[in-house]
Amino acid sequence: QSGFRHIRRTYLDLISFAHGPGADRKAAAQLFRRLRQHCIFCWTKSPVFPDHDDSAAALQKLPVNVVGVVGLVENMPSGSATRPGDIVRSMSGQTVEIVNTDAEGRLVLGDCLWYIQEKFGVKKIIDVATLTGSTMMTFGFEYAGLFANDDKLAAELTACGETSGEKLWRLPINAEYDKLMDSDIADMKNTGPRLAGGITAACFLQRFIKEGV
């Protein structure tokens, strides 16, 4: 409670089923593991939404102003599925070149991040997401990757993680990594090179964060 007393908003998301539409579909074994994403949703919504857990912020009446946003979508193949080479316009007005159709979650995340800033005028955002498998290749199951544009908030989250047993390790986001997301035909690509995939995903999301947030 003390670590989050001054945090005004919290943001959550979920791709409830991710098939990987178009040309970049997931293998059958990966599809079976999509069940874990449903479990992740239950875990991420429990701190905010009072219908799930009696430890939720609302039921404890914590002295914080918290808003939870859940971007619920499915990612399935169809005749109108996204294709590599498509360009989509985000809620922020920025255009995104689709390089890999399986990097779809960050498109929803970008719109949710923009929505919560526009609608609620947030000051701080905590984005909980399984973005991406690349980060898990680094840490396995012992740590979660942490990306932040604010040192104080990053330190608070890390300290809370040590207390709760959800250990975090901060990874960099900077201009060198960010430029890997540039596109020749749009404002940005939806994925960067194979290396540093978690970092470039965070750089993508950072492009949807307003000045001062």
Side-chain angles (χ1 to χ4, degrees):
Q1 178 177 343
S2 60
F4 293 98
R5 181 173 297 274
H6 302 296
I7 294 175
R8 292 195 53 200
R9 315 288 182 187
T10 300
Y11 158 78
L12 312 172
D13 87 287
L14 178 73
I15 303 293
S16 61
F17 189 90
H19 184 285
D24 301 296
R25 292 176 293 179
K26 295 182 184 296
Q30 291 176 288
L31 292 177
F32 179 76
R33 292 198 296 270
R34 293 302 96 190
L35 177 63
R36 291 187 302 186
Q37 288 186 304
H38 295 259
C39 299
I40 291 166
F41 169 57
C42 294
W43 174 78
T44 54
K45 84 186 187 81
S46 63
V48 179
F49 298 102
D51 65 338
H52 176 75
D53 190 312
D54 59 8
S55 67
L59 292 181
Q60 289 194 68
K61 299 181 179 179
L62 298 180
V64 292
N65 186 10
V66 177
V67 172
V69 171
V70 183
L72 287 170
V73 304
E74 284 193 340
N75 181 22
M76 293 290 289
S78 75
S80 59
T82 307
R83 296 156 299 194
D86 283 355
I87 297 176
V88 299
R89 186 176 299 278
S90 68
M91 184 180 290
S92 69
Q94 298 177 97
T95 55
V96 181
E97 176 191 358
I98 305 301
V99 176
N100 187 319
T101 62
D102 196 30
E104 83 294 348
R106 65 194 66 182
L107 300 176
V108 179
L109 281 166
D111 278 352
C112 287
L113 289 168
W114 191 261
Y115 170 82
I116 200 170
Q117 293 170 96
E118 287 281 289
K119 177 131 180 111
F120 298 105
V122 300
K123 300 301 181 185
K124 297 181 181 179
I125 300 174
I126 302 172
D127 173 5
V128 181
T130 57
L131 195 75
T132 69
S134 174
T135 304
M136 186 174 289
M137 293 296 288
T138 302
F139 295 121
F141 297 100
E142 297 303 317
Y143 283 83
L146 170 65
F147 302 94
N149 62 0
D150 182 88
D151 293 338
K152 183 174 182 293
L153 178 57
E156 289 177 345
L157 290 170
T158 302
C160 289
E162 290 293 333
T163 301
S164 66
E166 298 285 348
K167 295 180 290 186
L168 304 175
W169 194 274
R170 191 174 181 183
L171 293 168
I173 46 176
N174 57 33
E176 287 73 24
Y177 288 115
D178 181 72
K179 69 182 180 183
L180 297 175
M181 303 305 293
D182 288 343
S183 167
D184 293 331
I185 59 175
D187 293 317
M188 68 192 90
K189 299 179 290 190
N190 76 323
T191 187
R194 187 169 182 269
L195 299 179
I199 296 174
T200 53
C203 290
F204 177 88
L205 296 180
Q206 179 65 37
R207 295 187 178 206
F208 296 91
I209 299 299
K210 296 184 177 183
E211 186 89 24
V213 177

